[in-house]
Amino acid sequence: LLLEPLGHRPGVFRVFLAVMIGYFANLLLPRLGEVSRCGMLQKTNRVPVNVGIGTVVAERLFDLLMLLVLLALTFLLEFNRISGFFLNLFGAKAGSLAQLPSQFYFGVGIVIAIIGFVAFWAYRNQETLWRVPGLARVREFLLGMWEGVISVRRLRDRNAFLFHTLLIWVCYYFAAYTLTFALPDARPLSWQAGLTILMTGSLGMAAPVQGGTGPYHLLVSSALMLYGWTQQEGIILA
């Protein structure tokens, strides 16, 4: 749907294969799948990699929006449980950050200042920079990627795009919630608990590790302990 306004119409089967290859690649290296699926579509349908990456960025922006909606909905329905969960989670992180030496914060400040200065200089001298042969290719790549990002503005069927975005997240929910019935000895969970599992699991999958391994299991098992499950049961489910 996102590639169609850009003049590319890869078949459903080839797109499906590209997505499956992307999932597999993510198990090897974090975020490798996003590039792999674009590379696959370039080979099968000659979709430029930079354009493909742009559409992936557009996808992820909508996924981020859906995650924010999910966070708001879960907080609204399960505020007492979720607020305590996040206070414990981020309270411990804040405590560990407070123990870092002052030299660390000074070093971070220096790095941010250098990055800001370089970005300002590049902005003021962009016309000269883009004339450099290597940087001209970078600019061409970035412009193609930007075309992919804004392709969502030229969608021919926006209703279909919104419908499938919602459908994907509904499927994510049922995949997470129905699995809880696979542990018959565990305490039954409400449908609201399914939202909590999906929300915490999505945050875990966003971590830059292979397939969310580690953060996903930690967050899901910790969330299930709020509903009377043991940590062992939560880890088994994850």
Side-chain angles (χ1 to χ4, degrees):
L1 288 172
L2 287 170
L3 288 169
E4 189 179 12
L6 302 173
H8 304 285
R9 296 185 179 182
V12 173
F13 181 66
R14 287 183 175 178
V15 172
F16 173 76
L17 291 180
V19 173
M20 292 301 103
I21 288 172
Y23 277 135
F24 178 72
N26 277 337
L27 297 175
L28 304 176
L29 281 175
R31 304 295 172 248
L32 178 63
E34 317 295 17
V35 180
S36 299
R37 60 186 264 197
C38 297
M40 178 71 176
L41 287 176
Q42 184 187 40
K43 287 188 175 183
T44 58
N45 290 83
R46 297 182 179 178
V47 177
V49 172
N50 54 343
V51 172
I53 292 176
T55 61
V56 170
V57 172
E59 278 185 46
R60 293 295 167 262
L61 289 174
F62 272 86
D63 281 338
L64 176 62
L65 178 62
M66 290 299 300
L67 181 57
L68 293 175
V69 171
L70 177 65
L71 278 166
L73 182 62
T74 308
F75 264 99
L76 184 66
L77 295 172
E78 297 284 82
F79 180 78
N80 291 332
R81 286 190 174 99
I82 299 301
S83 58
F85 173 78
F86 278 104
L87 282 174
N88 292 332
L89 180 65
F90 292 110
K93 297 293 183 184
S96 60
L97 286 175
Q99 296 175 2
L100 291 173
S102 57
Q103 291 86 342
F104 171 80
Y105 296 104
F106 180 76
V108 170
I110 293 294
V111 171
I112 292 174
I114 292 173
I115 292 174
F117 174 79
V118 171
F120 177 75
W121 180 86
Y123 175 76
R124 292 293 299 271
N125 298 275
Q126 55 182 312
E127 293 185 4
T128 304
L129 288 173
W130 292 136
R131 296 194 190 102
V132 179
L135 291 178
R137 292 183 179 181
V138 172
R139 182 172 185 265
E140 183 179 351
F141 181 88
L142 293 175
L143 287 175
M145 193 172 77
W146 179 246
E147 283 293 312
V149 172
I150 63 174
S151 64
V152 70
R153 295 169 56 186
R154 301 201 298 266
L155 282 171
R156 296 183 182 179
D157 194 346
R158 295 184 179 182
N159 291 333
F161 179 81
L162 294 173
F163 170 75
H164 285 92
T165 300
L166 291 171
L167 180 62
I168 287 170
W169 281 85
V170 169
C171 289
Y172 284 156
Y173 170 79
F174 281 112
Y177 180 57
T178 56
L179 196 61
T180 63
F181 299 106
L183 278 71
D185 296 330
R187 178 180 295 185
L189 296 175
S190 64
W191 65 270
Q192 294 96 325
L195 287 175
T196 303
I197 296 171
L198 176 58
M199 183 264 293
T200 54
S202 298
L203 294 174
M205 290 298 292
V209 295
Q210 291 91 330
T213 304
Y216 177 86
H217 302 79
L218 173 65
L219 290 174
V220 169
S221 59
S222 299
L224 285 170
M225 290 172 67
L226 300 174
Y227 294 90
W229 282 38
T230 65
Q231 188 175 30
Q232 183 181 21
E233 290 170 337
I235 291 175
I236 290 171
L237 181 79

